[in-house]
Amino acid sequence: MTELSDKERLRYSRHLLLKEVGEQGQLMLKQAHVAVVGCGGLGSPALFYLAASGIGRLTFIDNDDVELSNLQRQILYKINHLGQGKTRAASKVLASLNNEITLTPINARLTQDNVAELLNEADIVLDCSDNFNTRYLLNAYCRAANKVLIAGAAIATQGQLMCFDFRAESPCYACVFPMDSQASTENCDNFGVISPLLGIIGAQQALLTINVLLGHHQGSLFSVLDGLSLQQKPYRLTKNSECECCGLK
């Protein structure tokens, strides 16, 4: 479909007012396919905003069920979702928000055997996972497939936003966090996390995704947000010649 319907023009009217988006930009969002790996604290706000913004197809992957401890930060879910699979619950919530986009929920754990099949058609991949095995797997796959990988992380009071644009020469996630790093043992389960921090980083992942799709952002990015001072600091990314994934050896 090469134009927006009258209903879509009304729904996305605030986008259409922006010269940075406009009708042509909204059509680009409508034609895009974004995959989100992890439907938890980061995936929840990212999926909300991507669905609301009119991303034409959203694939989201997770194999966990909704638990009571999730409700402190995973804003897709409500009390009545407890015990349900996250992708099933997320699909119902997102469909109630926007019934004009295609939702593809996948109740599975991402593995070396299924990653290419599940993510092959996606234009951009969002890493909203909570474990380093998945992060390194996504990094290696997106690098090999020349895809854009937008990763987020939040622990305690610090958040991180990352973009690895593998459509061109780029450092990778393992350049920043080597596979033998002690950081690989850190997660929300043992360090905790302040709830709104995940909302900020997840929303930034969605915003960065839209900027990449509309051509407003190219290249790689790494920034750290202090959840106490609210200061966000960018860092220059460079390739690590000793990187196990993309090293120059």
Side-chain angles (χ1 to χ4, degrees):
M1 191 171 184
T2 58
E3 62 180 23
L4 300 176
S5 67
D6 290 341
K7 187 176 180 182
E8 287 173 321
R9 287 191 181 93
L10 181 59
R11 176 186 285 271
Y12 306 118
S13 60
R14 301 307 187 270
H15 273 177
L16 302 187
L17 290 170
L18 299 172
K19 61 180 176 54
E20 295 84 359
V21 184
E23 183 154 343
Q24 191 58 43
Q26 192 62 50
L27 281 169
M28 293 170 69
L29 300 183
K30 181 178 180 178
Q31 293 161 3
H33 178 188
V34 174
V36 177
V37 180
C39 300
L42 295 168
S44 288
L47 284 166
F48 259 133
Y49 276 113
L50 292 171
S53 296
I55 299 299
R57 180 179 173 188
L58 280 176
T59 294
F60 41 103
I61 304 167
D62 201 306
N63 72 329
D64 286 340
D65 295 334
V66 180
E67 301 177 358
L68 184 60
S69 62
N70 300 151
L71 303 187
Q72 172 252 7
R73 64 201 178 281
Q74 300 182 19
I75 59 173
L76 266 173
Y77 311 113
K78 310 293 183 282
I79 288 291
N80 59 303
H81 294 139
L82 292 177
Q84 293 185 26
K86 286 185 179 178
T87 54
R88 180 186 173 204
S91 187
K92 291 187 289 187
V93 173
L94 296 173
S96 70
L97 172 66
N98 192 343
N99 61 359
E100 297 177 336
I101 61 175
T102 300
L103 300 173
T104 307
I106 299 174
N107 183 22
R109 176 172 286 275
L110 207 66
T111 68
Q112 188 69 51
D113 294 331
N114 65 16
V115 61
E117 176 186 357
L118 297 182
L119 300 180
N120 179 56
E121 296 180 358
D123 300 310
I124 296 178
V125 176
L126 270 65
D127 181 354
C128 299
S129 64
D130 61 358
N131 69 88
F132 278 83
N133 288 336
T134 301
R135 291 184 180 277
Y136 291 128
L137 175 62
L138 283 173
N139 178 68
Y141 168 74
C142 289
R143 178 176 177 268
N146 301 318
K147 293 185 183 292
V148 177
L149 174 65
I150 295 177
I155 189 167
T157 61
Q158 184 187 89
Q160 298 167 346
L161 177 68
M162 294 157 274
C163 177
F164 303 99
D165 190 344
F166 295 120
R167 297 172 299 182
E169 191 69 17
S170 170
C172 78
Y173 183 84
C175 289
V176 183
F177 299 102
M179 295 183 184
D180 59 355
S181 168
Q182 291 183 350
S184 63
T185 63
E186 300 176 0
N187 56 52
C188 292
D189 288 343
N190 52 36
F191 275 75
V193 66
I194 191 165
S195 176
L197 182 61
L198 289 146
I200 294 170
I201 298 298
Q204 288 187 335
Q205 285 182 268
L207 178 58
L208 187 52
T209 299
I210 291 170
N211 283 338
V212 171
L213 289 171
L214 297 179
H216 301 319
H217 177 86
Q218 293 181 343
S220 297
L221 174 152
F222 178 61
S223 67
V224 175
L225 172 66
D226 184 327
L228 298 181
S229 69
L230 297 185
Q231 292 185 333
Q232 190 158 12
K233 183 177 181 180
Y235 291 88
R236 184 171 177 267
L237 281 177
T238 57
K239 275 202 168 193
N240 178 2
S241 61
E242 302 297 321
C243 176
E244 293 185 40
C245 180
C246 71
L248 306 178
K249 299 184 267 188

